[in-house]
Amino acid sequence: MSTGHAVYRERTWAPAWVLVLLGLACLASLGPSLYFAYGQAVPGQPADDMSTRGFGMLAGGLAIVYGLAFSTFSCLNVEVRSDHLFIWFGPLRLIRKRIRYGDVRGVSAVTYRPFREFGGWGIRWRPGKSAWSIRGNQAVSVDLRNGKVVYVGSRFPQRLAGRIEVAMRVR
């Protein structure tokens, strides 16, 4: 299976306030975990108290969850490759989607309403359509041959749609 080479790349970062909130949540939950790891007890309780240990483990687990959320949902990446469109969140590529050009009927740059149409940003599904977005109201509408539509959030939707069309023609 060919992966194709990237002919266009775009990365859209989450709004700064989202990054700050995720970072603060990670730090806030990491603090008690570190406190526990260094053998400190909660004031007024013995060092081997199970509630202290459990609280530290819970906080450490939350720090891991927030850290994964931060690294997974910090940005939306889109690559137009020679044989498919590749979309993923974050640097880890844990959540990704590949759309083969043979499955595409057409593309167009659109302005949409993420809250009204999908209930917000992120990966959202509605009957017959889905959205991969991280901010704003600009996207490329990818109409699939099966009748479904995929909205791909973009800072430069006209440019992205044009590059997809060129890649589809060259293919």
Side-chain angles (χ1 to χ4, degrees), residues 2-49:
S2 172
T3 58
H5 64 280
V7 295
Y8 177 77
R9 288 185 178 103
E10 181 179 329
R11 175 174 285 164
T12 305
W13 289 94
W17 64 268
V18 171
L19 297 176
V20 168
L21 282 178
L22 281 173
L24 288 174
C26 185
L27 287 174
S29 61
L30 189 57
S33 179
L34 291 174
Y35 188 73
F36 165 73
Y38 285 107
Q40 302 296 318
V42 173
Q45 294 181 352
D48 62 347
D49 183 74

Side-chain angles (χ1 to χ4, degrees), residues 72-108:
T72 302
F73 296 107
S74 58
C75 61
L76 174 68
N77 301 282
V78 180
E79 281 188 359
V80 177
R81 296 187 177 181
S82 58
D83 58 350
H84 65 274
L85 180 65
F86 190 52
I87 311 158
W88 74 93
F89 276 98
L92 301 179
R93 298 184 186 198
L94 294 175
I95 301 172
R96 61 187 181 264
K97 182 172 187 67
R98 180 188 344 203
I99 302 172
R100 297 181 207 296
Y101 296 138
D103 298 335
V104 176
R105 186 177 8 180
V107 297
S108 60

Side-chain angles (χ1 to χ4, degrees), residues 113-121 124 126:
R113 297 184 215 167
F115 282 96
R116 178 175 277 181
E117 294 179 44
F118 293 99
W121 296 288
R124 302 296 181 128
R126 295 291 179 262

Side-chain angles (χ1 to χ4, degrees), residues 36 40 42 45 47-59:
F36 165 73
Q40 302 296 318
V42 173
Q45 294 181 352
D48 62 347
D49 183 74
M50 288 305 290
S51 65
T52 303
R53 200 167 293 159
F55 181 70
M57 290 171 58
L58 175 64

